[in-house]
Amino acid sequence: MKYIMTQGETANMPPSTRTLLAIAFAISSGSNQLGTCVAFNTHYNDNSRVHNNRRLQLHAQLKLNFDNSNSDPSLPPPSVLCIGEALFDSLPTGIYLGGAPTNVAVHLASLFASSSQSTDPTVAVAACLGKDQLGKDAHRRLSTKGVRVDYIQFHHEWETGMSTAIIDEDGDATYEFNTPAAWDGLSLEERLSGLMQHRKVQPSTQVFVMGTIAGRLKNDQGATSFATLKTIRNKAPEGSVVLDVNLRSPWYTPESVLELAKGTRDETSNFSEEGRPKELALLKLNEEELCILEQWCGLKDTSSGDNYGGDALRGSVLRERMELLSKALNTKRVCVTRGKDGAALFCKGISGDAEFYENLGYNFTVNNDSDTVGAGDAFLAALVASLFIQGDSSEIALERACALGGYVAGCRGATPEHRDAPENLKSVFSLKPR
């Protein structure tokens, strides 16, 4: 039995009603039908191509159980591990699997599938789902998208996360979350902890991508995700952690965000061989978050560009701001996204010389239903893949990131198919030698 509701009917519903209907339809459908039962113009394609190597194809066919024992010990460590929230976003046009690290992972899997590298890079998600129908569907969708799910956990009590997105007239979204949710309960299991060994052990995970929002509850209400993020930040090899700043009021504090950015001094594992705190590989944030973090770090007042004697989001002025922030927050690279105006990337130099690049971005619109949901996650996926996996220059990596981010910003939903992108954009963000 298939339930159909038109886009117009769902768009006119209150957000809470859309969410309840989506869950009700999902539960009533049975495990094999979720994803097609609620049309909402978001149909699941059971014939979607499974990416990556044959081992991953076999892994995706493993029978799902809820005892956190779905991992295959024969699989090598993933090239990239995305850590944090996996949840469902309820949008006016339907219900979509989302969460910033999850979106990054889906885009990375698609980029890796088209990569020309001699060895196939892989991406996995470390997230916690509920022992419910939505949790099963999230697990299934990620597998089908080519994302490894062997680090997925299932919470014994909390339900799979849901967020209600409210889209404004500019296509920007604000979110409301069910709390607590399963993604607040990510724990540091033995297999997850084992990835944080020194790179001398081969093969090893090259990049750990995490966002700040997964630590929203810190230790309140029995939440464990912040402690897990903090441990990974402190124990992962130096220069391997990418931190995506996502400030969603009221789900953050200056202390928790800065703790993830800087690392903490109360754990000896956070220090490099030289005795200093380990650097982040990359800190990504948007223009509003740049101002907020500058204030938290006691840097120059950035409420007006006049305080810098020019445009505070361009050229030498922006470079100065990013360099100061990189020193204050212990990160080798800082990337600032500027919406439709592109992005900028600052990189510390090995011998003191720094790199700074700007890209004006790509504007692309498919139709009037487009939104900006997931554009920043797509941007980060392309940046990570290009910089750290393919080894492109900073300038090329930034261009790839802006191209993919621009494509997603012009589409509906956070993870549109890469193959549907216009050729002029796809030729830029695809991971092929240039």
Side-chain angles (χ1 to χ4, degrees), residues 100 173 175 211-213 243-249 251-252 257-258 283-297 299 302 313 318 321 325 329 334-338 376-377:
Y175 299 88
T212 57
I213 196 170
L243 182 63
D244 185 12
V245 177
N246 290 303
L247 302 184
R248 301 283 187 266
S249 182
W251 301 114
Y252 66 88
V257 174
L258 293 178
L283 179 80
K284 171 190 163 286
L285 67 172
N286 63 32
E287 54 195 282
E288 292 85 6
E289 292 161 344
L290 172 62
C291 294
I292 293 172
L293 265 67
E294 285 175 322
Q295 293 170 9
W296 290 351
C297 294
L299 301 178
T302 57
L313 284 172
L318 179 58
R321 295 175 67 187
L325 192 66
L329 293 182
V334 175
C335 184
V336 175
T337 58
R338 305 178 298 201
D377 305 328

Side-chain angles (χ1 to χ4, degrees), residues 65-84:
N65 56 58
F66 284 137
D67 61 0
N68 290 348
S69 63
N70 290 290
S71 58
D72 181 353
S74 67
L75 287 172
S79 308
V80 181
L81 182 70
C82 297
I83 312 133

